[in-house]
Amino acid sequence: MNKRKATTLKEIAKKLDISISTASRALNNHPDISDATKEKVQQLAEKLHYSPNLFAQGFRTQRSHILGVIVPNIAHYFTSTILKGILEEAETKGYKVIVSESNNNENKQSEMLRTMSQFGVDGILLALSRKTTSVDSILNTLDTVPLVLFDKVSHKIPCTQVVVDEEIAAFNAVEHLINTGKKRIAIIKETENSFNSEKRFAGYLRALKEHHIEVDKKIILSTEDVSLYKGRMMTNILLSLKERPDAIFAITDTAAIGAIKALHKYNIKIPEEIAVVGFSNSIHATIIQPSLTTVDQPGEKIGKTAVTYLIKEIESNKNEITTKTVTVKTHLIVRDSSFKV
Amino acid sequence: MNKRKATTLKEIAKKLDISISTASRALNNHPDISDATKEKVQQLAEKLHYSPNLFAQGFRTQRSHILGVIVPNIAHYFTSTILKGILEEAETKGYKVIVSESNNNENKQSEMLRTMSQFGVDGILLALSRKTTSVDSILNTLDTVPLVLFDKVSHKIPCTQVVVDEEIAAFNAVEHLINTGKKRIAIIKETENSFNSEKRFAGYLRALKEHHIEVDKKIILSTEDVSLYKGRMMTNILLSLKERPDAIFAITDTAAIGAIKALHKYNIKIPEEIAVVGFSNSIHATIIQPSLTTVDQPGEKIGKTAVTYLIKEIESNKNEITTKTVTVKTHLIVRDSSFKV
DNA sequence: AAAATGTATTCAAACGTTTGCGGGAATAAT
DNA sequence: ATTATTCCCGCAAACGTTTGAATACATTTT
């Protein structure tokens, strides 16, 4: 297609009456080349808009300067902010980014890992699909190409993982509720197997324990997918209890919003009767009435650090895989759903 | 990095005692090769997990099977749904997708076009950054690599463009307001130069005209960026008028939500006193109270058709550029902010 | 003056694939 | 029996770059 054929090293070399290798080395600032010729070559290259043929280069050096990213759902706001960070950091480091969606389908995820590594990406950034049970294919690509996990991770995979301080974040959220005088705090979480949900649940339990509040299983609700709809259903259940909770900690903003909608329906005052806290600081958080108290996860920062670690791994040509968990700090944003001034 | 070195055509050829070219042709299903050898080669290739070295291939054929996408802001919901469509369609057609953000910065956009085309993408999908004034750099890349514009387009650029039926959509939205008995309909739009805003404004005007409602400039408000904040500000202005409008058509959902928030503040009944209609069917539309009437833009479909046309252009090796505007249909979703049953 | 050192450049191979061309063998047409 | 025709396959070049090794020349050391 390219209608204007690109200028090559050969043309530059011929015009300057030097060899191709000299031209190549001059552009790569090789110490063997005299400053005079370097100058000449670089100037002519500039003038002719020379840019190396990436395929020839990649072919020769086995380096593509492409990063692969696989996420469950790109249209998820938090994911897209992470992606924003990934794109930005990758660009400044001189890498391009190929993006794929697994749609929370484990097979598709495996397939993508395979095609990406065979495609020749220099490294892969992966947020696991929900319920990734078999890590075999991941371990497989792991010894082919550097891999960094983020957001949705699993300790079964020995590689660098970038996550948020889930447990602490949840602890802080619940402690905040306790500090506002709440004593009977329900939680809406995911049914096991989710790294994030488990951590958040652990934070919830620790907060209760440290404040000597006993755990009541009746107000610990689990669901397969924490959606808005499920948030409503779960709060309906909570409202039907003899002993209603006085606060709801939802593992996710959408569920929290579902909870708020359910509470609205029964004309329950938020936060006076029942307070609500979410997790993610989604864009909805300030749209909903009352505005939602939630923990802010710095998506862009997660993306950037994930890229940083991945590139570090790529560029240190060590073949050993580093397994290390990087934790990014969150902070609680208190809004009207939990505390009114 | 790749620790396991990949199998090459050479190895396959040697093991089968045939030439490399035969192996290559066998895998590419070339008619010159007998079914017997094709079978042999393909089986062995399968067994050895052969996959062609993409760099060698791209190097040789000058085709990368990579599409470049440039969008203003990836974290914008509508954009991310388009991206979803792009990814899906590209994948089924055997293309990878490189994504970049222009951050609504025209210079960055130009820079990206340049690096992408020199990188060797087979085609580029572009949503223009806000206020793209100089189309030179775009015209420049246009004669280097196939280009398709989507969502944010400009008729100054001769290429395939995929858009939504903005004018009709706006017409329908405003007509809907008229049908519910509204007679004094304000509009919150962008200050010129925006393709989308102009089209929507045209639809607004046509609806008024066809229903013999005279245009009142006092309730036609423009702003640089149609944000939630600006939506509030604009409705504050509208509320300060002697003759208040009885409906507001906001060119964008976020502005519409800003309008709703402002109306809430003054305890104005929606839709009885003032109805509100937005544009985009963002995820907020059902979160806000009352739920927002808005026009639904099928993001995924836009993405898919954009890819379809781009690939068509790539694979027809014609060098001529086709200039054609493809319009994707929208439909109005009526919710509580304009019509209560 | 010969040898050693250093500097700047060139040679040539290699990466893995595709593809135009040529050729051998088998079959069909004359 | 000779000539066409068809069917398979191999040869070799080419894509543009990088890089180890060789070369040429100038400079310094012995």
Side-chain angles (χ1 to χ4, degrees), chain B residues 9 21 24-25 50 57 60:
Chain B
L9 275 185
S21 22
S24 169
R25 280 190 250 255
Y50 169 80
Q57 210 168 36
R60 182 56 229 251

mmCIF file of all heavy atoms in Angstrom, chain B residues 9 21 24-25 50 57 60, chain C residues 15-21:
data_model
loop_
_atom_site.group_PDB
_atom_site.id
_atom_site.type_symbol
_atom_site.label_atom_id
_atom_site.label_comp_id
_atom_site.label_asym_id
_atom_site.label_seq_id
_atom_site.Cartn_x
_atom_site.Cartn_y
_atom_site.Cartn_z
ATOM 1 N N LEU B 9 10.475 -22.645 9.047
ATOM 2 C CA LEU B 9 10.194 -23.406 7.833
ATOM 3 C C LEU B 9 11.354 -24.333 7.507
ATOM 4 O O LEU B 9 11.162 -25.450 7.029
ATOM 5 C CB LEU B 9 9.978 -22.445 6.665
ATOM 6 C CG LEU B 9 8.596 -21.874 6.485
ATOM 7 C CD1 LEU B 9 8.543 -21.055 5.220
ATOM 8 C CD2 LEU B 9 7.564 -22.990 6.430
ATOM 9 N N SER B 21 10.814 -23.679 0.039
ATOM 10 C CA SER B 21 9.734 -23.054 -0.721
ATOM 11 C C SER B 21 8.510 -23.970 -0.785
ATOM 12 O O SER B 21 7.381 -23.495 -0.696
ATOM 13 C CB SER B 21 10.194 -22.696 -2.123
ATOM 14 O OG SER B 21 11.285 -23.448 -2.505
ATOM 15 N N SER B 24 6.764 -23.672 2.454
ATOM 16 C CA SER B 24 6.046 -22.411 2.519
ATOM 17 C C SER B 24 4.750 -22.476 1.730
ATOM 18 O O SER B 24 3.668 -22.157 2.222
ATOM 19 C CB SER B 24 6.938 -21.297 1.987
ATOM 20 O OG SER B 24 6.188 -20.114 1.815
ATOM 21 N N ARG B 25 4.876 -22.955 0.509
ATOM 22 C CA ARG B 25 3.684 -23.009 -0.352
ATOM 23 C C ARG B 25 2.645 -23.978 0.181
ATOM 24 O O ARG B 25 1.437 -23.727 0.083
ATOM 25 C CB ARG B 25 4.105 -23.382 -1.763
ATOM 26 C CG ARG B 25 4.652 -22.197 -2.542
ATOM 27 C CD ARG B 25 4.839 -22.528 -4.003
ATOM 28 N NE ARG B 25 6.260 -22.588 -4.321
ATOM 29 C CZ ARG B 25 6.907 -21.630 -4.989
ATOM 30 N NH1 ARG B 25 6.274 -20.586 -5.421
ATOM 31 N NH2 ARG B 25 8.189 -21.753 -5.223
ATOM 32 N N TYR B 50 4.432 -24.934 14.783
ATOM 33 C CA TYR B 50 5.014 -23.904 13.915
ATOM 34 C C TYR B 50 4.081 -22.718 13.790
ATOM 35 O O TYR B 50 2.868 -22.873 13.669
ATOM 36 C CB TYR B 50 5.276 -24.458 12.516
ATOM 37 C CG TYR B 50 5.615 -23.377 11.519
ATOM 38 C CD1 TYR B 50 6.896 -22.844 11.469
ATOM 39 C CD2 TYR B 50 4.649 -22.880 10.655
ATOM 40 C CE1 TYR B 50 7.208 -21.851 10.579
ATOM 41 C CE2 TYR B 50 4.955 -21.885 9.753
ATOM 42 C CZ TYR B 50 6.228 -21.366 9.717
ATOM 43 O OH TYR B 50 6.538 -20.366 8.840
ATOM 44 N N GLN B 57 7.814 -12.375 7.912
ATOM 45 C CA GLN B 57 6.671 -12.316 7.002
ATOM 46 C C GLN B 57 6.341 -10.867 6.630
ATOM 47 O O GLN B 57 6.229 -10.521 5.455
ATOM 48 C CB GLN B 57 5.471 -12.964 7.695
ATOM 49 C CG GLN B 57 4.510 -13.611 6.754
ATOM 50 C CD GLN B 57 3.520 -14.471 7.512
ATOM 51 O OE1 GLN B 57 3.098 -14.147 8.622
ATOM 52 N NE2 GLN B 57 3.142 -15.593 6.911
ATOM 53 N N ARG B 60 8.908 -9.307 4.497
ATOM 54 C CA ARG B 60 8.870 -9.768 3.114
ATOM 55 C C ARG B 60 7.662 -9.190 2.373
ATOM 56 O O ARG B 60 7.764 -8.718 1.250
ATOM 57 C CB ARG B 60 8.807 -11.296 3.134
ATOM 58 C CG ARG B 60 8.812 -12.001 1.806
ATOM 59 C CD ARG B 60 10.009 -11.605 0.987
ATOM 60 N NE ARG B 60 9.541 -11.250 -0.327
ATOM 61 C CZ ARG B 60 9.743 -11.973 -1.405
ATOM 62 N NH1 ARG B 60 10.514 -13.022 -1.368
ATOM 63 N NH2 ARG B 60 9.229 -11.618 -2.546
ATOM 64 P P DC C 15 20.657 -17.580 10.291
ATOM 65 O OP1 DC C 15 21.120 -18.817 10.925
ATOM 66 O OP2 DC C 15 20.194 -17.599 8.896
ATOM 67 O "O5'" DC C 15 19.463 -16.996 11.170
ATOM 68 C "C5'" DC C 15 19.596 -15.855 12.005
ATOM 69 C "C4'" DC C 15 18.406 -14.949 11.818
ATOM 70 O "O4'" DC C 15 18.792 -13.862 10.933
ATOM 71 C "C3'" DC C 15 17.222 -15.599 11.105
ATOM 72 O "O3'" DC C 15 16.362 -16.172 12.077
ATOM 73 C "C2'" DC C 15 16.552 -14.412 10.378
ATOM 74 C "C1'" DC C 15 17.634 -13.347 10.319
ATOM 75 N N1 DC C 15 18.049 -12.903 8.956
ATOM 76 C C2 DC C 15 18.151 -11.543 8.675
ATOM 77 O O2 DC C 15 17.891 -10.728 9.577
ATOM 78 N N3 DC C 15 18.533 -11.140 7.417
ATOM 79 C C4 DC C 15 18.801 -12.050 6.493
ATOM 80 N N4 DC C 15 19.173 -11.608 5.291
ATOM 81 C C5 DC C 15 18.703 -13.443 6.758
ATOM 82 C C6 DC C 15 18.319 -13.822 7.983
ATOM 83 P P DG C 16 15.880 -17.692 11.863
ATOM 84 O OP1 DG C 16 15.367 -18.187 13.147
ATOM 85 O OP2 DG C 16 16.896 -18.450 11.133
ATOM 86 O "O5'" DG C 16 14.637 -17.503 10.887
ATOM 87 C "C5'" DG C 16 13.511 -16.798 11.379
ATOM 88 C "C4'" DG C 16 12.541 -16.585 10.247
ATOM 89 O "O4'" DG C 16 13.175 -15.810 9.208
ATOM 90 C "C3'" DG C 16 12.050 -17.875 9.588
ATOM 91 O "O3'" DG C 16 10.644 -17.825 9.558
ATOM 92 C "C2'" DG C 16 12.668 -17.848 8.192
ATOM 93 C "C1'" DG C 16 12.877 -16.361 7.954
ATOM 94 N N9 DG C 16 14.005 -16.033 7.094
ATOM 95 C C8 DG C 16 15.236 -16.623 7.074
ATOM 96 N N7 DG C 16 16.064 -16.089 6.200
ATOM 97 C C5 DG C 16 15.316 -15.085 5.612
ATOM 98 C C6 DG C 16 15.675 -14.165 4.587
ATOM 99 O O6 DG C 16 16.756 -14.063 4.000
ATOM 100 N N1 DG C 16 14.615 -13.302 4.282
ATOM 101 C C2 DG C 16 13.384 -13.323 4.878
ATOM 102 N N2 DG C 16 12.508 -12.425 4.481
ATOM 103 N N3 DG C 16 13.035 -14.187 5.844
ATOM 104 C C4 DG C 16 14.049 -15.030 6.152
ATOM 105 P P DT C 17 9.766 -18.932 8.877
ATOM 106 O OP1 DT C 17 8.592 -19.163 9.739
ATOM 107 O OP2 DT C 17 10.601 -20.073 8.468
ATOM 108 O "O5'" DT C 17 9.276 -18.173 7.580
ATOM 109 C "C5'" DT C 17 8.614 -16.931 7.738
ATOM 110 C "C4'" DT C 17 8.589 -16.162 6.436
ATOM 111 O "O4'" DT C 17 9.934 -15.969 5.967
ATOM 112 C "C3'" DT C 17 7.868 -16.869 5.285
ATOM 113 O "O3'" DT C 17 6.553 -16.344 5.230
ATOM 114 C "C2'" DT C 17 8.673 -16.499 4.047
ATOM 115 C "C1'" DT C 17 9.883 -15.739 4.582
ATOM 116 N N1 DT C 17 11.189 -16.186 4.027
ATOM 117 C C2 DT C 17 11.741 -15.490 2.987
ATOM 118 O O2 DT C 17 11.207 -14.534 2.466
ATOM 119 N N3 DT C 17 12.953 -15.966 2.558
ATOM 120 C C4 DT C 17 13.653 -17.040 3.067
ATOM 121 O O4 DT C 17 14.745 -17.369 2.601
ATOM 122 C C5 DT C 17 13.018 -17.718 4.160
ATOM 123 C C7 DT C 17 13.703 -18.897 4.800
ATOM 124 C C6 DT C 17 11.827 -17.270 4.587
ATOM 125 P P DT C 18 5.532 -16.965 4.182
ATOM 126 O OP1 DT C 18 4.205 -16.456 4.568
ATOM 127 O OP2 DT C 18 5.770 -18.416 4.052
ATOM 128 O "O5'" DT C 18 5.969 -16.269 2.810
ATOM 129 C "C5'" DT C 18 5.734 -14.878 2.661
ATOM 130 C "C4'" DT C 18 6.273 -14.418 1.327
ATOM 131 O "O4'" DT C 18 7.652 -14.824 1.176
ATOM 132 C "C3'" DT C 18 5.529 -14.963 0.097
ATOM 133 O "O3'" DT C 18 5.268 -13.844 -0.740
ATOM 134 C "C2'" DT C 18 6.525 -15.924 -0.540
ATOM 135 C "C1'" DT C 18 7.852 -15.305 -0.137
ATOM 136 N N1 DT C 18 9.036 -16.197 -0.062
ATOM 137 C C2 DT C 18 10.169 -15.882 -0.776
ATOM 138 O O2 DT C 18 10.250 -14.905 -1.495
ATOM 139 N N3 DT C 18 11.223 -16.755 -0.611
ATOM 140 C C4 DT C 18 11.248 -17.887 0.174
ATOM 141 O O4 DT C 18 12.258 -18.577 0.240
ATOM 142 C C5 DT C 18 10.033 -18.166 0.893
ATOM 143 C C7 DT C 18 9.963 -19.375 1.774
ATOM 144 C C6 DT C 18 8.995 -17.320 0.748
ATOM 145 P P DT C 19 4.201 -13.921 -1.869
ATOM 146 O OP1 DT C 19 3.565 -12.603 -1.991
ATOM 147 O OP2 DT C 19 3.398 -15.133 -1.637
ATOM 148 O "O5'" DT C 19 5.095 -14.161 -3.170
ATOM 149 C "C5'" DT C 19 6.124 -13.233 -3.474
ATOM 150 C "C4'" DT C 19 6.903 -13.707 -4.685
ATOM 151 O "O4'" DT C 19 7.953 -14.633 -4.269
ATOM 152 C "C3'" DT C 19 6.067 -14.469 -5.716
ATOM 153 O "O3'" DT C 19 6.504 -14.073 -7.002
ATOM 154 C "C2'" DT C 19 6.422 -15.924 -5.462
ATOM 155 C "C1'" DT C 19 7.899 -15.776 -5.081
ATOM 156 N N1 DT C 19 8.480 -16.896 -4.301
ATOM 157 C C2 DT C 19 9.840 -17.102 -4.386
ATOM 158 O O2 DT C 19 10.575 -16.421 -5.060
ATOM 159 N N3 DT C 19 10.298 -18.148 -3.628
ATOM 160 C C4 DT C 19 9.549 -19.001 -2.817
ATOM 161 O O4 DT C 19 10.080 -19.903 -2.184
ATOM 162 C C5 DT C 19 8.136 -18.719 -2.783
ATOM 163 C C7 DT C 19 7.237 -19.580 -1.945
ATOM 164 C C6 DT C 19 7.672 -17.693 -3.524
ATOM 165 P P DG C 20 5.430 -13.912 -8.160
ATOM 166 O OP1 DG C 20 4.713 -12.642 -7.940
ATOM 167 O OP2 DG C 20 4.663 -15.169 -8.277
ATOM 168 O "O5'" DG C 20 6.372 -13.754 -9.440
ATOM 169 C "C5'" DG C 20 7.434 -12.796 -9.415
ATOM 170 C "C4'" DG C 20 8.636 -13.321 -10.169
ATOM 171 O "O4'" DG C 20 9.289 -14.356 -9.382
ATOM 172 C "C3'" DG C 20 8.316 -13.946 -11.524
ATOM 173 O "O3'" DG C 20 9.350 -13.599 -12.442
ATOM 174 C "C2'" DG C 20 8.307 -15.454 -11.229
ATOM 175 C "C1'" DG C 20 9.371 -15.557 -10.135
ATOM 176 N N9 DG C 20 9.171 -16.651 -9.196
ATOM 177 C C8 DG C 20 7.995 -17.020 -8.596
ATOM 178 N N7 DG C 20 8.122 -18.039 -7.781
ATOM 179 C C5 DG C 20 9.465 -18.352 -7.843
ATOM 180 C C6 DG C 20 10.204 -19.372 -7.178
ATOM 181 O O6 DG C 20 9.798 -20.206 -6.375
ATOM 182 N N1 DG C 20 11.554 -19.346 -7.535
ATOM 183 C C2 DG C 20 12.118 -18.462 -8.412
ATOM 184 N N2 DG C 20 13.421 -18.588 -8.626
ATOM 185 N N3 DG C 20 11.445 -17.504 -9.044
ATOM 186 C C4 DG C 20 10.129 -17.511 -8.714
ATOM 187 P P DC C 21 9.197 -13.933 -13.969
ATOM 188 O OP1 DC C 21 9.802 -12.800 -14.698
ATOM 189 O OP2 DC C 21 7.797 -14.348 -14.237
ATOM 190 O "O5'" DC C 21 10.141 -15.206 -14.109
ATOM 191 C "C5'" DC C 21 11.464 -15.160 -13.563
ATOM 192 C "C4'" DC C 21 12.052 -16.549 -13.535
ATOM 193 O "O4'" DC C 21 11.501 -17.310 -12.430
ATOM 194 C "C3'" DC C 21 11.778 -17.394 -14.792
ATOM 195 O "O3'" DC C 21 13.014 -17.800 -15.339
ATOM 196 C "C2'" DC C 21 10.954 -18.579 -14.283
ATOM 197 C "C1'" DC C 21 11.408 -18.661 -12.832
ATOM 198 N N1 DC C 21 10.446 -19.348 -11.920
ATOM 199 C C2 DC C 21 10.929 -20.344 -11.069
ATOM 200 O O2 DC C 21 12.133 -20.637 -11.091
ATOM 201 N N3 DC C 21 10.060 -20.978 -10.230
ATOM 202 C C4 DC C 21 8.766 -20.628 -10.234
ATOM 203 N N4 DC C 21 7.953 -21.273 -9.381
ATOM 204 C C5 DC C 21 8.260 -19.614 -11.093
ATOM 205 C C6 DC C 21 9.126 -19.006 -11.913
#
